[in-house]
Amino acid sequence: MLLEDGTVPKPVYIDSNSGASGWEVRHWSVYDGADSYVPRPKAHVLHAECSCGWTGPRHTVDWTTAGNLPFRESGLATAERCEEDWDTHITAVGNTTVPLPAELEELLQSVAAAIERLGRDAPTAALKAARSLELIAQRTAYWPARDARDHELENVAAALGLNLDDTRGLLARYGGWSPYG
């Protein structure tokens, strides 16, 4: 996402209003130019980005048709174009990485679609399902991450479609060691 002057905005700090804590958010929908308790910058352009360095085409935000709708609704069509760009990029990257067995790829796509459908009607249940996937990933990736450590990091990164830092972090997270050690 870019502001009108072409710069990338800093994360928006959301105060919890119940103490000295809050959180930083970088989701496109918070860059609505609202002048609330903490003023937020106004997005001018949305575009997808990847940790590999790829940046998708720029899509200018049309603020003239927003009316009284909040940006999370009026900007949705622009965000969806960015998501389509991202899907195209990920498909291209996926075609250059280690292939998954077709049966597993189909199963993963089916699970993702089911969680997305569930999220529309039961967001908490969808979060529970996503958390279950995280636990499965942690349990099943431990030994593969440890075994992959015996291979050249550049080759593992290329096979996964990640940069070296992200590969190092992924192996550390799943293998249970420090990425710095």
Side-chain angles (χ1 to χ4, degrees):
M1 168 182 5
L2 301 173
L3 302 177
E4 192 167 12
D5 64 3
T7 61
V8 175
K10 293 180 180 177
V12 171
Y13 180 78
I14 307 292
D15 191 354
S16 70
N17 290 328
S18 63
S21 64
W23 61 95
E24 290 186 337
V25 179
R26 292 194 54 133
H27 191 266
W28 64 268
S29 65
V30 300
Y31 296 94
D32 57 6
D35 192 17
S36 58
Y37 176 70
V38 178
R40 299 187 294 251
K42 191 173 187 177
H44 179 67
V45 168
L46 298 182
H47 61 89
E49 295 179 345
C50 185
S51 63
C52 74
W54 171 87
T55 300
R58 296 176 176 192
H59 301 284
T60 303
V61 176
D62 182 6
W63 289 99
T64 61
T65 61
N68 291 329
L69 292 174
F71 185 44
R72 69 179 177 273
E73 293 175 27
S74 66
L76 193 56
T78 305
E80 287 173 347
R81 287 198 307 264
C82 295
E83 190 173 340
E84 290 167 5
D85 298 337
W86 170 255
D87 290 342
T88 300
H89 169 68
I90 290 302
T91 298
V93 169
N95 291 336
T96 66
T97 61
V98 63
L100 291 178
E103 178 184 356
L104 182 57
E105 183 67 41
E106 186 177 309
L107 181 60
L108 291 171
Q109 288 177 8
S110 176
V111 168
I115 293 173
E116 287 176 2
R117 284 191 307 273
L118 182 61
R120 291 196 273 296
D121 297 324
T124 307
L127 287 171
K128 182 178 180 181
R131 176 64 180 137
S132 294
L133 287 177
E134 284 181 336
L135 295 172
I136 291 168
Q138 286 289 336
R139 189 181 71 245
T140 60
Y142 178 80
W143 286 111
R146 291 202 163 264
D147 293 344
R149 208 172 177 188
D150 295 336
H151 301 275
E152 291 293 325
L153 189 62
E154 291 81 6
N155 295 339
V156 175
L160 296 174
L162 299 173
N163 64 34
L164 294 178
D165 287 339
D166 288 344
T167 301
R168 199 175 287 112
L170 181 77
L171 293 177
R173 187 172 79 238
Y174 285 140
W177 62 80
S178 169
Y180 310 108

